[in-house]
Amino acid sequence: MPLHPFEAIVIGSGATGGVAAMTLAEAGVRVLVVEAGPDMSAMEALGGEPANSLRRAEGLLSGRHRVQAQHPGYWKQNPALYADERAFPYETPEDQPFLWTQGRQVGGRSLTWGGITLRLSDYEFKAADDDGYGQNWPINHNDLDPHYTALERLLKVRGNRDGLSHLPDGQLEPALPLMPEESQFRDALHRERGLTLIHSRGFEAHQPSITTPWPRSSSNGSSLRRALDTGNVEILSNCVAERLELHPGRQRARSVVVVNRATHERQRLDCELVVVCASTIASLRLLLQSEEQNNGPGGFIDPSGQLGKGLMDHVSCCRFFSIASQTGRQAMQQRDPTTTLSGAGSFFLPFGNAPERRANASFLRGYGLWGAINRFDPPWWLKRHPDRRLGFLIGHGEVLADARNNVRLSEQCDPLGIPMPLIRCRWGKNEHAMVRDMQRTIQDCIAVAGGTAASLADLVHLPLVEPIVRSAAAVQKDAPPPGYYIHEVGGAAMGNHEDTSVVDRWNRLWRCPNVLVVDGACWPSSGWQSPTLTMMAITRRACQDAVRPASG
């Protein structure tokens, strides 16, 4: 396609890429969005049954989705939204598996996002002040508050104002009602253990229509659409950003080199501003390809030596259970689709990172439990106990930044001739201690509420797929490997000093300030909350600053 003159290149079109394009375009900047995958229609992207099931079978038999099929979302969404692992390979040590879920299409992983939108608190931004581990963020909640608010209003996020110091309230639409069994669960936990259960915050399940074909949680249905409506944005799809090229003085980026996936031709795209939003690991690969150590004298300088180090993901564990039904046998979702499991149609036990919660803990930092009851029941005749409803509790646990968990460049290349990411990441003692506490807490909550813990295969008849379900990472005794939760962050941490961080407090590379790194790669610590809303708020803040007229 012919490319018109543009001033900024946004690499990636997912949750952060859409916000970057929207923020810049609405400020009058001409933007090119570079996306590694195709530009699909809503019908192509979302698919439907039985076609999605046939695609899953093909994806598993062909090896396209050997790793990504471990994630539950793969079994409820169009598998076309999960990248072909043969086309986008990566390497890990044999004893350190990493389950990398990749969304290579316009919209990226926002099209498979669960849609939970929790703010971080200053207990996360300034955690090092409390326990002395790692580094604080160079920003706090007040810095992001106006951006959180703007995005919550744009996206019409649902939830309550709960008045919790460790989980700041947002500007939210009314929460979805709890299911009767969830209300009973909440009351039992409060009565017997004094625990607080809140409505989850996020998006209701998408109901496609002619006027709203895309989920509002996707960039295609929100920020990217608004960006395109300005007339200032073009999308270059099926092109992989390979590296940055710098001006001779190496103080500013001059262009982005992209590789056409169909022809393998390389093209140099000049611009004045680069915003890196490719998702954490893909962004780190691009930056490593562009840094002096790997790109020679033409690369940018990372004075900290920290690029690629400190990769994190949320550590988690999951338990299914059943509880006596208060709503009969028929699946509620057949009667009322708004009761379907979603970011807003669920609940949280937000233990968090507040000092009083961790006073007697055997580990650093905090976690929360996400759960739901009676939101994903199959027809009653598929259930082993038809008069009971299904529930689950899943832990979200903060992972400590550790330089040994990192992304480097492999000596092997992908089909486009670009070095693959080499990912080294494993859970440490702190994560194992946290998971043991999660497991005890989950078991206690289920028991107190009168539930019965069991595997999903012991709760539901699963013809044909039962062996796959019983071997899935989510149902094993120990925590699934890193990457499973699809909340990977870190590797290009933001900070106050160039000798200890990769980007500054405005997300600019220290020695190359017209390059912004705004996705999860810039996180110095992981927090326990779902990260996407915070990534989007960071992106909006950084892009607004980038186009603000210089003072003086």
Side-chain angles (χ1 to χ4, degrees):
M1 63 179 266
L3 300 175
H4 302 294
F6 46 84
E7 298 159 296
I9 292 179
V10 172
I11 300 172
S13 62
T16 55
V19 170
M22 176 185 73
T23 305
L24 295 171
E26 291 184 344
V29 177
R30 297 185 301 280
V31 180
L32 179 69
V33 177
V34 175
E35 170 53 54
D39 190 355
M40 297 188 283
S41 69
M43 184 175 295
E44 291 172 323
L46 303 180
E49 295 297 349
N52 285 353
S53 292
L54 294 174
R55 293 187 190 99
R56 280 185 207 100
E58 189 277 331
L60 293 172
L61 292 172
S62 67
R64 288 166 53 91
H65 300 139
R66 178 179 56 86
V67 171
Q68 295 166 106
Q70 290 286 333
H71 193 270
Y74 181 81
W75 297 90
K76 67 178 183 178
Q77 294 159 336
N78 183 0
L81 299 176
Y82 293 79
D84 186 341
E85 296 162 15
R86 302 166 303 182
F88 298 99
Y90 62 101
E91 187 178 0
T92 66
E94 287 188 10
D95 63 342
Q96 297 183 47
F98 191 96
L99 306 181
W100 186 21
T101 294
Q102 303 180 63
R104 304 287 186 156
Q105 61 273 328
V106 173
R109 294 194 313 200
S110 74
L111 284 163
T112 54
W113 178 28
I116 297 173
T117 55
L118 305 179
R119 296 186 179 203
L120 268 63
S121 77
D122 285 338
Y123 290 120
E124 286 73 53
F125 290 122
K126 305 301 178 185
D129 284 345
D130 180 61
D131 58 32
Y133 187 92
Q135 298 184 54
N136 285 330
W137 291 61
I139 59 176
N140 57 31
H141 179 266
N142 283 342
D143 292 318
L144 290 185
D145 180 53
H147 308 288
Y148 278 137
T149 296
L151 291 164
E152 288 161 345
R153 287 174 172 166
L154 168 68
L155 299 171
K156 295 182 171 57
V157 171
R158 288 182 173 272
N160 280 340
R161 297 181 64 84
D162 299 297
L164 304 174
S165 64
H166 60 282
L167 187 63
D169 290 327
Q171 298 297 317
L172 307 174
E173 299 286 313
L176 290 180
L178 293 175
M179 302 297 288
E181 295 84 358
E182 292 173 335
S183 294
Q184 180 188 47
F185 191 76
R186 176 196 59 193
D187 295 344
L189 294 183
H190 181 73
R191 181 178 62 251
E192 301 296 331
R193 294 291 186 267
L195 298 180
T196 298
L197 182 150
I198 66 171
H199 292 79
S200 184
R201 302 172 188 173
F203 302 89
E204 65 270 31
H206 177 54
Q207 305 297 327
S209 69
I210 294 175
T211 56
T212 57
W214 295 103
R216 198 168 65 253
S217 55
S218 70
S219 65
N220 315 62
S222 56
S223 55
L224 187 60
R225 183 192 65 204
R226 274 186 53 156
L228 291 167
D229 287 346
T230 67
N232 290 330
V233 176
E234 293 183 53
I235 297 176
L236 179 63
S237 58
N238 276 317
C239 284
V240 176
E242 178 181 28
R243 67 182 187 278
L244 309 176
E245 289 194 346
L246 276 59
H247 286 286
R250 292 201 291 172
Q251 295 299 309
R252 294 182 68 81
R254 176 175 61 187
S255 56
V256 178
V257 176
V258 301
V259 187
N260 186 296
R261 287 182 57 202
T263 66
H264 291 205
E265 293 178 343
R266 282 165 168 77
Q267 184 178 5
R268 180 180 293 105
L269 305 172
D270 295 336
C271 62
E272 299 172 19
L273 176 69
V274 179
V275 189
V276 182
C277 307
S279 85
T280 296
I281 293 170
S283 292
L284 292 176
R285 179 172 80 156
L286 170 74
L287 294 170
L288 288 164
Q289 276 280 99
S290 308
E291 196 259 335
E292 180 183 45
Q293 181 175 333
N294 299 300
N295 198 30
F300 74 86
I301 297 171
D302 168 34
S304 72
Q306 297 300 306
L307 180 61
K309 298 178 181 178
L311 182 67
M312 299 163 280
D313 181 31
H314 281 146
V315 66
S316 67
C317 66
C318 175
R319 292 293 181 270
F320 290 94
F321 61 93
S322 67
I323 200 164
S325 174
Q326 298 185 37
T327 48
R329 283 188 166 188
Q330 184 183 13
M332 289 294 296
Q333 290 68 52
Q334 293 179 351
R335 301 185 220 165
D336 181 0
T338 67
T339 65
T340 300
L341 177 67
S342 65
S346 49
F347 61 77
F348 257 99
L349 291 163
F351 300 123
N353 196 28
E356 58 270 21
R357 168 67 187 173
R358 297 186 294 100
N360 299 311
S362 60
F363 52 88
L364 299 180
R365 309 296 165 89
Y367 67 83
L369 299 180
W370 178 52
I373 307 172
N374 192 8
R375 293 189 183 272
F376 60 101
D377 282 33
W380 67 266
W381 45 269
L382 277 176
K383 295 162 67 173
R384 298 186 188 273
H385 307 285
D387 295 313
R388 297 179 70 81
R389 293 300 192 186
L390 306 186
F392 70 84
L393 288 171
I394 299 178
H396 278 213
E398 176 164 353
V399 169
L400 300 181
D402 185 331
R404 293 171 294 183
N405 293 332
N406 57 65
V407 177
R408 312 309 301 169
L409 295 178
S410 171
E411 295 181 359
Q412 301 183 56
C413 291
D414 67 14
L416 297 179
I418 305 172
M420 300 188 308
L422 169 58
I423 305 171
R424 296 187 179 95
C425 193
R426 59 166 31 124
W427 302 135
K429 292 181 179 179
N430 197 72
E431 287 76 48
H432 287 297
M434 181 181 287
V435 167
R436 287 193 293 271
D437 193 83
M438 283 181 189
Q439 291 170 337
R440 287 191 293 267
T441 303
I442 289 173
Q443 294 289 358
D444 184 58
C445 289
I446 293 171
V448 162
T452 301
S455 72
L456 187 59
D458 289 332
L459 294 170
V460 181
H461 296 285
L462 299 167
L464 302 180
V465 298
E466 183 169 328
I468 297 173
V469 171
R470 287 193 182 275
S471 63
V475 300
Q476 303 310 305
K477 180 178 179 182
D478 296 325
Y484 170 80
Y485 221 83
I486 321 182
H487 286 174
E488 64 270 13
V489 295
M494 61 194 302
N496 286 318
H497 306 285
E498 69 169 25
D499 56 345
T500 58
S501 58
V502 177
V503 299
D504 67 14
R505 69 189 311 269
W506 297 103
N507 299 88
R508 302 172 296 200
L509 286 174
W510 281 106
R511 301 281 181 94
C512 191
N514 70 330
V515 176
L516 309 180
V517 182
V518 296
D519 59 16
C522 74
W523 287 41
S525 63
S526 69
W528 64 270
Q529 299 91 327
S530 302
T532 306
L533 180 68
T534 298
M535 293 179 190
M536 296 165 76
I538 289 169
T539 301
R540 187 175 186 271
R541 176 179 179 268
C543 290
Q544 283 191 349
D545 179 73
V547 298
R548 187 175 293 124
S551 60

